[in-house]
Amino acid sequence: MLKRLRRLIVFVLVLGLGLWSARTYLAIKHVLTYRPLVQEVLAETGSPAGQDLILAMIFTETKGKSDDLIQSSESLAGLPGHITDNKESLIQGITVLSENFVVADNAGVDVWTAVQAYNFGTAYIDYVAQRGEVTTVDLAKTYSREVVAPSLGNTDGQTYPYYHPVSIWHGEPKLLRNGGNYYYAKQVQLNLTLIKLVATIEEN
């Protein structure tokens, strides 16, 4: 009986991984269709950001299923859902990210701090600069708990479940309510790897 149960568990895990992989592959293929638009906006804005990084952020933010591709409405208008055009979303998002890169470079912190600041806000860059100059999940989690969440009303550390390969890998599949996503930079890193992998497969 125990042997059968183990086999069933393995089967379910393998099946689940297979389904997740297939869905992820198709989602990334869809995101890759935005490459020409990303190239166009990068050229127009003169941003130093790489195409694949922006595609990875699109995948992280919306999987290409929203008019506001890179969820940049809040940085423009302070409210979600304000932007309803793909190009406008990219222009605003890439502009914010590029400004983060400049601030991060001047502060002497790593580029992933600039990426995490896309989720947290530019103030996170100074926070990291004063605490080792390299963002980590633990540092981002502390900032979420001590700065972001309280500023938006969560003063008692309320959390909610957040199941994602990165959060599960780190052994804590949850986030602080109103605390942003302290796994954001790690998610973008993972998605950047997946973007490059799928792009290579599609080209061959």
Side-chain angles (χ1 to χ4, degrees):
M1 182 68 180
L2 184 58
K3 191 173 183 179
R4 288 181 180 177
L5 181 59
R6 286 174 178 170
R7 287 177 178 173
L8 178 61
I9 292 173
V10 170
F11 174 77
V12 171
L13 289 174
V14 170
L15 179 62
L17 180 60
L19 290 173
W20 177 83
S21 298
R23 287 198 300 267
T24 299
Y25 187 85
L26 291 175
I28 290 176
K29 278 186 65 177
H30 174 64
V31 169
L32 288 172
T33 64
Y34 291 104
R35 188 183 291 279
L37 181 58
V38 169
Q39 291 174 330
E40 178 183 335
V41 174
L42 286 173
E44 288 181 5
T45 59
S47 172
Q51 297 172 32
D52 288 343
L53 174 61
I54 301 303
L55 291 168
M57 291 178 67
I58 291 173
F59 183 75
T60 304
E61 294 284 353
T62 66
K63 294 181 173 56
K65 295 180 179 179
S66 169
D67 291 332
D68 189 0
L69 282 177
I70 200 166
Q71 293 290 339
S72 52
S73 287
E74 291 188 47
S75 65
L76 179 65
L79 295 169
H82 179 79
I83 293 176
T84 57
D85 176 77
N86 289 165
K87 185 172 182 179
E88 183 183 0
S89 176
L90 286 175
I91 290 173
Q92 175 63 18
I94 289 172
T95 297
V96 170
L97 181 64
S98 299
E99 291 170 353
N100 285 354
F101 282 151
V102 172
V103 176
D105 184 57
N106 290 338
V109 303
D110 69 313
V111 296
W112 292 108
T113 295
V115 173
Q116 182 64 51
Y118 188 84
N119 183 264
F120 277 164
T122 309
Y124 181 65
I125 296 173
D126 289 334
Y127 183 87
V128 174
Q130 297 168 14
R131 293 167 176 81
E133 301 178 349
V134 176
T135 188
T136 65
V137 169
D138 286 341
L139 194 59
K141 189 184 303 181
T142 300
Y143 186 79
S144 173
R145 182 178 64 251
E146 296 181 354
V147 180
V148 183
S151 73
L152 295 174
N154 182 5
T155 57
D156 54 0
Q158 297 176 40
T159 63
Y160 63 93
Y162 183 71
Y163 298 105
H164 182 279
V166 171
S167 64
I168 294 171
W169 175 262
H170 283 273
E172 193 172 355
K174 63 182 179 180
L175 289 173
L176 285 157
R177 198 169 300 281
N178 296 331
N181 181 356
Y182 47 77
Y183 294 118
Y184 187 77
K186 289 295 183 183
Q187 284 181 251
V188 175
Q189 287 181 40
L190 171 62
N191 293 336
L192 178 58
T193 299
L194 295 176
I195 287 286
K196 290 179 177 179
L197 176 62
V198 174
T200 300
I201 292 172
E202 289 296 303
E203 289 170 2
N204 295 329

